[in-house]
Each structure stands twice: as structure tokens, then as C-alpha cells.
Amino acid sequence: MRRIEEEIAERALAYVLDPPSDPNDVIQYASPDDLIAVFDDSVGFSFAADAPAERAESIVAAVEKVIEHSVHTSHPRFINQNFAGPDPVSVVGDWLGAALNTTGATFEAAPVFTLMESAVLSKLGRVCGYIPESDELIPPLPPGLFCPGGSTATLYALQLARHRHQPDIAQRGASGERLVLFVSSAGHYAATKSAALLGIGIDNVIKVESDSVGAMVPVALETAIADATADGAVPFAVIGTSGTTVTSAFDDLNALADICEAHRLWLHVDGCYGGSALFSGNHRHLLDGVERSDSFVWNLHKMMGMTQQCTALLVRDPQQLDRCFAGKADYLFQPDKLYADYDSGDRTFQCARRIDVLKLWLSWKHHGDTGFASRIDHAVAMADHTRARIAGSNGEFAPVSGTFTNVVFAWVPPALRPITLDPAAIADLDPQTHEVLHTLPPMVKAQMQAEGTAMVGFQPIAGLNTFRMLFMNSTVTTTDVDAILDCISEYGANAVASAEQN
Amino acid sequence: MRRIEEEIAERALAYVLDPPSDPNDVIQYASPDDLIAVFDDSVGFSFAADAPAERAESIVAAVEKVIEHSVHTSHPRFINQNFAGPDPVSVVGDWLGAALNTTGATFEAAPVFTLMESAVLSKLGRVCGYIPESDELIPPLPPGLFCPGGSTATLYALQLARHRHQPDIAQRGASGERLVLFVSSAGHYAATKSAALLGIGIDNVIKVESDSVGAMVPVALETAIADATADGAVPFAVIGTSGTTVTSAFDDLNALADICEAHRLWLHVDGCYGGSALFSGNHRHLLDGVERSDSFVWNLHKMMGMTQQCTALLVRDPQQLDRCFAGKADYLFQPDKLYADYDSGDRTFQCARRIDVLKLWLSWKHHGDTGFASRIDHAVAMADHTRARIAGSNGEFAPVSGTFTNVVFAWVPPALRPITLDPAAIADLDPQTHEVLHTLPPMVKAQMQAEGTAMVGFQPIAGLNTFRMLFMNSTVTTTDVDAILDCISEYGANAVASAEQN
């Protein structure tokens, strides 16, 4: 046997080069107990006291079980959540970063990657309009930083907003005034979780009315700000969402920017999901006005297929990063080191930081701007195909919501067709119909998982469980979409039949 | 040419299997401008407008430049900071996790990894004494979670502490009372950065006196608590440090636990660096009392050679994670999904989360408890060898501080030998001697970087730049230690000669 590292790497590479796709299963599902038992004849799943060093052959056998029982997120029938289908170039770029194992905090330990972050953040800053196209391509102070995920970026952005409002916040702590921030009712829960951690409190995150697709109603924001102010609270920030989690709705950023400018509020744009629309000339208008915001978070591990995680937090005024986050640790950021002025670590909260930029840099060099645009256009084309199939289904599928890459819909039992299921209609359903429709998606999904045919997400809309198909995997074809819808039809019918038998 | 993914993977694997070591350079250093120019004849470093898709051959050429100009942190002469020498099994374990690209938030999307986290966290919880050895090996509610780095774990731990003090903090926000926390003056800056982000404020982090090695003086903690209380502040947490960043000092955790119990304060232990001493029967006594703490952060990417990042935040009462962090997002944590009670995502702040456990699980299965112990013992043996060399150097090297794996020392020009340089003596140095000694380390380091012979960190101790050698890379030998000390001698002499010429 070769070295264990080679054996494991070989299996990982084979997976990347030829990932499971139809007719292979998306998942070979097992209960927790069954899953643990699968490892009994190799290394055992758990660690007892005095855990022994296992034989290399047993570890390699365990690796094969890990692969076999993991969810194949690169499979074109994994349409389950807002990441899918990692770009293979990103995967091996991630590998190279891991092999070179360093931290992004200092130029000293990461000379290539410090400059690479600057090059990529500059490009992202130009794409979103924070800096002009004529700006430096590799500025010493880039317009943002990389973070471990969108929630963390939201946390940092809200701290930047609070810091502008109260410049001594870092030193002295919160002043005691009741700060409030605003986000649409369809916005991501990172807003409330961040408010909790910042000591602002979930109660001080004001959920602003959103329309039937999930976009914030600007006039409702105006009202909410006035109400909060009248109530003695101090508004300091608004989160606009570009691509909500469930329906991919886009807030009108220009309308939000007008309001924020009038009230001197920090405008943060949560483009974790939809930010990548900026890559496509056909869709970048969805983010019109983002250049007027103060901060913008963009998860390249969602639509762009970077591996987990690749999050850019962009800021219009990068000087604020240093003012807000600097810790000035003298054992790390020694000013008497070579090129210490390039050190990025004192502009963020983290100390050691994994290299997330290399995979994006390689992928972008490989695909170019045109390739990045194609990925977006393809995703929307798949969603459009899904919408067309639903519209032509003679009531078998009922559209519920969604836009851009997201399609939210129900499968309707024959006895209930045709039925209207937009969010307003859902509220008016009689309890028995609601119950029938509500219990179907979990049953359909359980059968999908049991048979491994597909993975499609479901979630409540106005209290009713509905399916969500959302697209970003570039290997998904209309054949996959059709097969998944057929699968939902079949399992839906099975669920109805089984309910009738009981 | 084969597929670009194969070409990149092949180079990454070759690097992992046969990383640079003597006589190869640790780093081929270049200025930012020179570094950027290196890429001019392949893909170019930056992204202009309309960035094209580059040819595969050019990208592969660029990959070779990335490797060539990165710091070789696996090189046995990289003794620069508190990570080094990634375990090759961890690297390929990281690769497999990236290939299977998923998120740790739900059992649905990460069935194997959810259970794997439980198995590893249970083992870590038993190693640190939070749970008895007789506990479940794969509990549904494990005693902790994985985080992207030690600073983030500190942030979470302090929020847990604040949450116990004020159970409605998440919902209502900070009450307005002036909370204060305590950490030794040698503790990590994650404490102040976390306090800033939480809205507590850097001013409310009270730095407690530490002894000459860097361990907190318990009686000074008692005094600091009394003083703060008398001043109207509300103490809520103490951070004990197990392995300070610069000297690897260990606070007396039993003494701190006594004080915390008497004052009902949360005791958080920052074992980011030194927590791994628990793996060795010879050194685990350094953390005696950790089992009495409330939370404990442990970076396995430091001493254990996991790739960036692999941080476990352990908690004595895991129920508190859910109470403190739950967001109850109904699109993700649907209670009607299969095995949803295993979902870990609502017990932490992050939403999507990279898989950090697989590499640790594989490495632990490969090395076993005994192999993990050996890694620690080897590191301390290398530090002991360094200390012996310094003691026998006839005053050429002057010991300054450090314990366990860390050795802090100065190189002394012949004209100044012998000299005593413990922290107290440093304070008494005459300005001219101070200046001579202070300017040497950056000059020595710059020559190391220029020649690529070694990378050794330096930092001010009591205001004087001193070298720090700290050990965790299992491939470092006494030959490497001797070569590095010889290198410091030579470059130190060069620096003195060059100063005399000017």
C-alpha cells in the first residue's frame, strides 16, 4: 500500500473529477444508529479511552464509507439549499491553500495571499461600484475583507454601523441608548443573531413588511423608522437584502439608500445569495443602488460554487475597518517587520484566518468574467424552465412564490386541483386543505432521501410547507429539473395513496 | 494536458508528500511589487475590467509560482508562530471535506459529519474532564461545537457568560450595567476584541497582573475583582489562559476556579495554544482544574498540526449553547425533517459552517491517543534542547522568558556579554544597550527572510524585541534547532558589523 495520504487524496480527487450524478444516488441515507454501525468493521466511529492508532487499510476503508454516506452536493439533483455544485477548480484551489497551510493575518506569513486578497477585493469592489474601474488593481488598503461566512460578515457590518454611530463603542462599550436596526421580514436570521451577540437584542431588530415575493416595502421602512424614533429608540442601520433565502427577492436598494441618506443610517446590503447577480449583464440591475450602500456581504460559496466558505465583506470606506477592529497586538503586527503595512489581520476580528481567496482567484482566472456571467445566466434559465413546467402542469404544481433563481411551489393532490396558493391565498385555506398540503412535502422529501433520487428543500410559507427549487449548480440540465418534478409527482401520489389507506 | 484540476491536485499532493525542508528555503522572499511581477508571464496577478478566461497552461504555471513564493509552514525551520508543520493526514482529510463540500448545520446535509463532531467533541470533553469517561461516546447533544478560530470561540464563550448573568440578553439586549471581565496581562487580545464586538468595551477588560513567566497572579485577581466591584462595575467572567501566546505560561486554573466559585463568575479557559498539553500524561497537569471551568477553547490547528482551522469550544453545560444561540430559522431547522434533533446549527452563531472535524477525526484515528501524546512530548523536548543550548552558550544567548514549548531569548553582541535579560532586568537597561538589543531581532529576521534559511518570530518583552522559538512541528529535530541558533549567531554578528561600519 502507498502512503495513507496518497490513498485518501486519490479517492478525493476521483470524487472531484467524476462526482456522482444520475443514475447514482444523491444520498445513501441511513439513520444515525445505522450510520455508526457502518464503521464497525473498519476503525469504529467513536473514540473510547486509550483510542488506538488504527491500521492505514482500516482508515482508508473508513474514508470510503465517509464518501458513500455523505450527501453528494455536487450531484445535479441536489437542489436543497443555497449552495450546490462546487466548481472543481475551486475545490483543488482549496486543496492547494490547505497544503500551504498558513494564515491570512500578515504579509510575512502569507505574502502571495495578502496581495491576492487585495486583487480580488479590488475587483469585487469595482464590480459592485464601491470604487471606480480606474482604481488601483492591487491597493494596499483593499475595500473589504474575507470572513468565515455570511453571518459573521453581517456581525462585522453591524459593528461597523454601530461604530460610526458611536465612535468610542469599541473602547467604552455600548452607551446604553436603545439602538434599533431594520431588515425585511424575509431577511436572513443573521440580523437577529448578530443583534443578540452585539448586545443590541433581538427585540431591537425591527422586521419591516415585505411584499408577496419577499422584497421590503420602502414606505413601510419609513413608517417603521418614524415609529421607532417616536418610541424613544435610536435607529442606526438598515439591512437591505439582495436575494432572500427562500424566494430570492431583491429589495429596492435605491429606495432604501434614499431613506438611509435622509435619516443618516448605515445601509448594509445582504447579498450573500443574490450578490452574484452582479456578474451578469442580464441580472445586475437587480442590485441597482448597491454602490450607495455602506457595506455589502457577498458569499461566493453560494451561487459561484466556491467551496465552504468564501465570503467577502465589502465596505465603501475601508478606513473604518481599521478604526473599528484594530487590536494592535505587538507580538504579531510588529511595525518593524518587512512590509508590515500590508498586514490585513488588524482590520478584522479574527486573528488566524484560513486562506479563502486562492480558490476564488484560480476559479476566476479559469472562467473569466464571461464564465462567471454564464453561471448566473444558466441558473436563472433553469429556474425559468421550472416556472414554465409549473405553469404548464394543469394545476398539478401550484406556484407559490420566488423569483430569479428560486421557485417556490406546491404539489397539489388531484382532488384539490386547481388551487391558488400565493401567500395571501394560503392564509385563507380551510384547515383540512391546509393540513393535507402541509404534510405532503416532508413525506415526499423523506421518500427522496430514502431512495436517494433527489434532494429538494421545503419550508413553511405563510405557515404552509412548500417546496423550494433554487439553482446555482452549473451541471444541472432541464432533464434534471424534469426528473425532479416527476419524482415529486410520483412521491406526492404515493403519499396521497398511503393517506387514503389509513 | 490533463484536466486542470488534476494538474493542480498533483502539485498540491507532491507538496504534501514531500514538503520543502533543509536545504530548501523556508521562503523565497520578494517585495510586493516583485511578487506581482512574477505572475506577469502567466495569468497576471490582478483582475482588470473584462477579465478573460486564462489558458489552463498559464494557470498551472501560476500555481507553481504561488507554491514557490508561499511560506513553507511545514518546513522544520519555520518556528515563527503558534502553528507549524501540518499533519499530512490532516491536510488530505481537509481535502476530502472540501471535495464533499457541505455545511455542518444540519444532519440532513451532513449526516456523517454531524455524528463525527459529536464523537470528537465527546472525546475532547472527556479528555478535559467536562464529562466522565463513562459518558456516551456519540451523544445527541455534544459538549461543545466547532468554530472558525480561537477569537470566535472566545467571543461565543463571553456571550455564554454574559447570557448566564443576564438570561434575557439575546432578546432584550444589554441591560446597561457596566459588566467587566478579567484576563491576565499576558492573555490573548481576543479578550479585548471580543469585548469590543459584544458592546462591553475594551475598557471593561481588566488586565490582571501576571508573573515573570506570564501566569496570572491569583491574589491580584482577587484584588482586581474587589476594586472593580467597589468602582460600581459588575464582574461576570474570568478568562484563564493555558499557554499564553508569547511565553506559553499556564494560569493556575484551580486557584482561578476557587475565586470564580466564590464570586459566582464564569470561568473561561483559553487553551487555544496549550490545551493540547492534555494529550500528554507528562504535561496534562498544567491544566489541572480545567474541569472546573465553564468553557474551554482549544485550537487543534496549533500544536496538533490540523490545517487552519480546527477550533473546539467546549462547554460544561451544553444546554446553554441552545439557549444562548438558537435562532429557530424555519426554512432550515424544520422540525418535521428526518433526525432533525441532531441538527447542530442552532446551537452556534454561524449558519453555514465548513467541515472542520473530518481532518481531526482521521488524524486521531491514524495517530491514536499515543501518537497525539508523542507530538506534545516531542515539542517540549525540542524546547528543552533549545533551553539547554542557550544555558550552555556562555552568554551568547540570554534567556528572557518562556516555558513548556516556548523559549524567549536574546542574542547578545560580544561587547555586552554576559547580560541578564529577564523582564525585570530589561526594565533597568540603559537606553543605549536597550537600543542595540532592540534593533537586532528585526535585522536578523530580515536576513533570514532574504536568505530563506529560517523563520523565527520576535516580539517586544517589557519593550525589548526578543526572539521566540516555539515548537509543535513533529519533523523538527535538534539539528534544526542548532542550525537556527547558528543562523541567529551569524546574522547577529553581521548586524553588529554593519552597525559598526555606519
Side-chain angles (χ1 to χ4, degrees):
Chain A
M1 184 172 150
R2 292 172 302 165
R3 280 177 58 176
I4 185 173
E5 295 88 351
E6 288 176 278
E7 297 289 339
I8 296 174
E10 179 182 86
R11 283 158 180 79
L13 182 59
Y15 188 89
V16 173
L17 294 176
D18 186 21
S21 72
D22 184 56
N24 300 125
D25 289 346
V26 177
I27 171 70
Q28 188 171 322
Y29 222 65
S31 71
D33 287 345
D34 289 346
L35 206 45
I36 291 164
V38 159
F39 291 80
D40 282 350
D41 60 3
S42 58
V43 299
F45 201 84
S46 60
F47 294 89
D50 301 316
E54 302 284 350
R55 293 168 54 244
E57 289 78 1
S58 300
I59 294 174
V60 172
V63 161
E64 291 178 351
K65 296 297 181 189
V66 167
I67 295 173
E68 197 179 320
H69 287 278
S70 286
V71 177
H72 303 305
T73 64
S74 49
H75 196 296
R77 302 204 181 156
F78 177 84
I79 312 276
N80 198 63
Q81 46 209 107
N82 49 22
F83 75 94
D87 174 13
V89 173
S90 164
V91 178
V92 296
D94 194 333
W95 292 9
L96 183 59
L100 294 168
N101 188 45
T102 194
T103 156
T106 60
F107 181 84
E108 170 189 12
V112 176
F113 304 126
T114 298
L115 298 172
M116 214 171 245
E117 285 189 351
S118 176
V120 170
L121 290 166
S122 159
K123 175 74 172 176
L124 292 172
R126 284 174 282 134
V127 169
C128 83
Y130 273 174
I131 52 179
E133 195 54 70
S134 58
D135 244 38
E136 268 186 279
L137 298 183
I138 308 173
L141 180 60
L145 43 84
F146 282 86
C147 312
S151 294
T152 302
T154 303
L155 178 73
Y156 294 176
L158 292 177
Q159 177 73 344
L160 286 165
R162 179 164 68 160
H163 177 260
R164 189 176 72 179
H165 174 77
Q166 185 201 331
D168 65 359
I169 174 75
Q171 198 64 41
R172 294 172 53 87
S175 67
E177 62 186 350
R178 185 158 75 85
L179 296 180
V180 292
L181 67 112
F182 304 83
V183 63
S184 93
S185 58
H188 192 266
Y189 74 100
T192 46
K193 289 190 108 165
S194 295
L197 203 48
L198 293 164
I200 290 170
I202 295 169
D203 287 349
N204 296 313
V205 178
I206 297 175
K207 302 285 180 65
V208 180
E209 181 193 345
S210 51
D211 64 22
S212 64
V213 180
M216 188 190 284
V217 178
V219 68
L221 173 61
E222 281 279 21
T223 308
I225 292 170
D227 289 351
T229 307
D231 195 38
V234 180
F236 77 107
V238 172
I239 299 178
T241 308
S242 293
T244 57
T245 311
V246 174
T247 61
S248 198
F250 287 77
D251 290 351
D252 179 343
L253 298 181
N254 272 313
L256 270 51
D258 289 343
I259 295 169
C260 287
E261 285 167 15
H263 296 272
R264 298 172 165 260
L265 303 178
W266 182 282
L267 177 57
H268 172 66
V269 174
D270 176 352
C272 284
Y273 183 73
S276 297
L278 287 170
F279 288 127
S280 164
N282 299 320
H283 301 289
R284 60 170 293 131
H285 65 88
L286 293 166
L287 286 104
D288 280 353
V290 67
E291 70 283 357
R292 297 171 61 193
S293 66
D294 296 290
S295 56
F296 175 43
V297 54
W298 190 346
N299 282 349
L300 288 307
H301 60 253
K302 290 191 158 74
M303 290 202 72
M304 301 317 295
M306 298 301 109
T307 54
Q308 299 283 353
Q309 291 179 305
C310 190
T311 296
L313 173 62
L314 300 164
V315 291
R316 199 165 51 173
D317 174 10
Q319 304 276 1
Q320 295 190 320
L321 293 171
D322 189 57
R323 288 196 290 263
C324 184
F325 289 113
K328 309 277 178 229
D330 64 7
Y331 76 92
L332 187 60
F333 303 114
Q334 305 93 327
D336 37 10
K337 278 189 320 193
L338 293 170
Y339 313 117
D341 47 329
Y342 279 84
D343 290 354
S344 65
D346 221 19
R347 293 199 291 270
T348 187
F349 171 76
Q350 288 186 286
C351 182
R353 196 156 54 76
R354 184 183 175 87
I355 299 303
D356 291 329
V357 70
L358 174 59
K359 57 196 176 189
L360 176 57
W361 187 88
L362 285 170
S363 178
W364 208 333
K365 289 290 181 190
H366 179 64
H367 296 290
D369 285 4
T370 309
F372 271 25
S374 301
R375 190 172 170 109
I376 304 304
D377 292 344
H378 174 79
V380 178
M382 290 304 101
D384 286 343
H385 174 78
T386 309
R387 283 186 275 265
R389 273 287 316 260
I390 287 170
S393 72
N394 292 318
E396 179 179 2
F397 298 102
V400 173
S401 188
T403 181
F404 189 52
T405 58
N406 289 30
V407 188
V408 179
F409 62 96
W411 180 81
V412 183
L416 295 177
R417 298 174 199 168
I419 191 168
T420 300
L421 286 178
D422 59 57
I426 288 172
D428 292 335
L429 288 177
D430 68 84
Q432 197 182 345
T433 305
H434 188 283
E435 177 67 12
V436 169
L437 292 169
H438 187 68
T439 51
L440 272 165
M443 294 169 75
V444 168
K445 173 138 192 179
Q447 192 173 357
M448 279 180 176
Q449 288 172 297
E451 302 199 0
T453 37
M455 278 182 74
V456 175
F458 71 86
Q459 71 286 301
I461 294 277
L464 181 74
N465 276 333
T466 52
F467 293 106
R468 173 185 58 163
M469 283 174 67
L470 77 175
F471 298 92
M472 66 219 75
N473 184 343
S474 63
T475 67
V476 173
T477 64
T478 54
T479 306
D480 295 303
V481 171
D482 294 347
I484 291 168
L485 291 173
D486 290 348
C487 185
I488 292 174
S489 293
E490 181 189 335
Y491 300 162
N494 291 347
V496 168
S498 120
E500 281 168 358
Q501 283 181 343
N502 295 335
Chain B
M1 184 170 149
R2 293 171 301 165
R3 282 176 56 174
I4 184 173
E5 295 88 351
E6 289 176 275
E7 297 289 339
I8 296 173
E10 178 182 87
R11 283 159 180 78
L13 182 60
Y15 189 88
V16 173
L17 294 176
D18 186 21
S21 72
D22 184 56
N24 300 127
D25 289 346
V26 177
I27 171 69
Q28 188 171 326
Y29 222 64
S31 71
D33 287 346
D34 289 346
L35 206 45
I36 291 163
V38 160
F39 291 80
D40 283 351
D41 61 1
S42 59
V43 299
F45 201 85
S46 60
F47 294 89
D50 302 317
E54 303 285 349
R55 293 167 54 242
E57 289 78 2
S58 300
I59 293 173
V60 173
V63 161
E64 292 177 351
K65 296 295 181 189
V66 168
I67 295 172
E68 197 178 321
H69 287 279
S70 286
V71 177
H72 303 306
T73 64
S74 50
H75 196 297
R77 302 203 182 158
F78 178 83
I79 311 278
N80 199 63
Q81 46 209 107
N82 48 22
F83 75 95
D87 175 13
V89 173
S90 164
V91 178
V92 296
D94 194 333
W95 291 9
L96 182 61
L100 294 168
N101 189 46
T102 193
T103 157
T106 60
F107 181 83
E108 170 189 12
V112 177
F113 305 126
T114 298
L115 298 172
M116 215 172 246
E117 285 189 352
S118 176
V120 171
L121 290 166
S122 159
K123 175 74 173 175
L124 292 171
R126 283 175 282 133
V127 169
C128 83
Y130 274 174
I131 52 179
E133 196 53 69
S134 58
D135 244 38
E136 268 185 277
L137 299 183
I138 308 173
L141 179 60
L145 42 85
F146 283 86
C147 311
S151 294
T152 303
T154 303
L155 178 73
Y156 295 176
L158 291 178
Q159 177 73 345
L160 286 165
R162 179 164 69 161
H163 177 261
R164 189 176 71 180
H165 174 78
Q166 186 201 333
D168 65 358
I169 174 75
Q171 198 64 39
R172 296 171 54 88
S175 67
E177 62 187 348
R178 185 158 74 85
L179 296 181
V180 292
L181 67 111
F182 304 82
V183 64
S184 94
S185 58
H188 193 266
Y189 74 101
T192 46
K193 289 190 108 166
S194 295
L197 203 48
L198 293 164
I200 290 171
I202 294 168
D203 286 349
N204 295 313
V205 179
I206 297 175
K207 303 286 180 64
V208 179
E209 181 192 347
S210 51
D211 64 23
S212 64
V213 180
M216 187 190 284
V217 178
V219 68
L221 174 62
E222 281 279 21
T223 307
I225 292 170
D227 289 351
T229 307
D231 194 38
V234 181
F236 77 107
V238 172
I239 300 179
T241 308
S242 294
T244 56
T245 310
V246 174
T247 61
S248 199
F250 287 77
D251 290 353
D252 178 345
L253 299 181
N254 272 314
L256 269 51
D258 288 344
I259 296 169
C260 287
E261 284 168 14
H263 295 274
R264 297 172 166 263
L265 303 178
W266 182 283
L267 177 57
H268 172 66
V269 175
D270 175 353
C272 283
Y273 183 73
S276 296
L278 287 170
F279 288 127
S280 163
N282 299 319
H283 301 289
R284 61 169 295 130
H285 65 88
L286 293 167
L287 285 105
D288 279 354
V290 66
E291 70 284 356
R292 297 171 62 192
S293 66
D294 296 291
S295 54
F296 176 44
V297 54
W298 190 347
N299 282 350
L300 288 308
H301 60 255
K302 290 191 158 76
M303 290 204 71
M304 301 317 294
M306 299 300 111
T307 54
Q308 300 281 353
Q309 290 178 309
C310 190
T311 296
L313 173 63
L314 300 165
V315 291
R316 199 167 50 174
D317 174 8
Q319 303 277 1
Q320 296 190 320
L321 292 171
D322 189 57
R323 287 196 290 264
C324 184
F325 290 113
K328 309 277 179 226
D330 64 6
Y331 76 91
L332 187 60
F333 304 114
Q334 306 91 328
D336 37 10
K337 279 189 318 192
L338 293 170
Y339 313 117
D341 47 328
Y342 279 85
D343 290 355
S344 65
D346 222 18
R347 293 199 289 270
T348 187
F349 171 75
Q350 288 186 287
C351 182
R353 198 157 51 77
R354 183 181 175 88
I355 300 303
D356 291 329
V357 72
L358 174 60
K359 57 195 178 189
L360 176 57
W361 187 88
L362 285 170
S363 178
W364 209 333
K365 288 291 181 189
H366 179 63
H367 297 290
D369 284 4
T370 309
F372 272 24
S374 302
R375 192 175 169 106
I376 304 304
D377 292 343
H378 175 78
V380 178
M382 290 305 102
D384 286 342
H385 174 78
T386 309
R387 282 186 276 264
R389 273 286 316 260
I390 288 171
S393 72
N394 291 318
E396 178 177 4
F397 298 103
V400 174
S401 188
T403 180
F404 189 50
T405 58
N406 289 29
V407 188
V408 179
F409 62 97
W411 180 82
V412 184
L416 295 176
R417 297 175 200 165
I419 191 168
T420 300
L421 286 178
D422 59 56
I426 289 172
D428 292 334
L429 287 178
D430 68 85
Q432 196 182 343
T433 304
H434 188 283
E435 177 67 11
V436 169
L437 292 169
H438 187 68
T439 52
L440 272 164
M443 294 169 75
V444 168
K445 174 136 190 178
Q447 191 173 356
M448 278 181 177
Q449 288 172 296
E451 303 199 1
T453 38
M455 276 183 75
V456 174
F458 71 86
Q459 71 286 302
I461 294 277
L464 180 74
N465 276 333
T466 52
F467 293 106
R468 174 185 57 163
M469 282 173 66
L470 75 176
F471 298 91
M472 65 219 74
N473 183 343
S474 63
T475 67
V476 173
T477 64
T478 54
T479 306
D480 295 303
V481 172
D482 294 347
I484 291 169
L485 290 174
D486 290 348
C487 185
I488 292 174
S489 293
E490 181 189 335
Y491 299 163
N494 292 347
V496 169
S498 120
E500 282 168 358
Q501 284 181 343
N502 293 333

